[in-house]
Amino acid sequence: QATLLGFGGLSSLGANLVIMALPSYITFLLVKNGLFDSFNEKVKFFLIGFLAVLLASLLLALMLSLSKDEYLIASYTIILANIPAMIIEGLVTLFLLNYLKKSIPWVLTEAKICV
């Protein structure tokens, strides 16, 4: 970030780590605890990808809104701008997990995504 954009670097490393890692871990915990088991398998696969991007967008918006008052409008815009990314990520995850289920299903059963 510091090299390409001229800001950030080590000072934003912690925020970037939380924004990218925490949603993935929360999604993992939700899948592991069976929260998505009541859904259809395809909906479940879509939600796994969709939810991670949604949570990352919400965390970024929260961090921006807590940092400065000027960033409050930008935080709303970021959530709206990431809606297409959420849908695309959900679809990519859906197709990827369907492919893995057909080609190497033991990976998904060990991860407790499929039964």
Side-chain angles (χ1 to χ4, degrees):
Q1 258 182 331
T3 305
L4 294 174
L5 304 174
F7 65 91
L10 288 177
S11 63
S12 64
L13 185 63
N16 288 338
L17 182 68
V18 168
I19 290 170
M20 297 312 296
L22 190 61
S24 300
Y25 185 66
I26 290 172
T27 305
F28 164 74
L29 289 177
L30 293 175
V31 170
K32 181 182 173 187
N33 290 327
L35 185 73
F36 296 146
D37 287 345
S38 61
F39 293 111
N40 179 9
E41 190 172 77
K42 292 184 180 184
V43 174
K44 177 181 175 180
F45 290 168
F46 177 82
L47 285 176
I48 289 171
F50 182 87
L51 187 65
V53 179
L54 174 67
L55 292 175
S57 300
L58 291 175
L59 276 173
L60 176 60
L62 178 69
M63 286 187 186
L64 284 176
S65 64
L66 292 177
S67 64
K68 286 186 180 180
D69 291 333
E70 295 88 30
Y71 293 150
L72 188 61
I73 295 173
S75 65
Y76 297 134
T77 307
I78 285 172
I79 294 172
L80 291 175
N82 280 319
I83 289 175
M86 294 174 205
I87 295 169
I88 292 169
E89 183 68 29
L91 291 173
V92 168
T93 305
L94 166 68
F95 290 124
L96 177 68
L97 291 178
N98 270 331
Y99 174 74
L100 288 176
K101 183 182 176 192
K102 291 177 185 175
S103 60
I104 46 175
W106 59 269
V107 171
L108 298 180
T109 55
E110 284 188 18
K112 296 182 181 173
I113 295 176
C114 287
V115 177

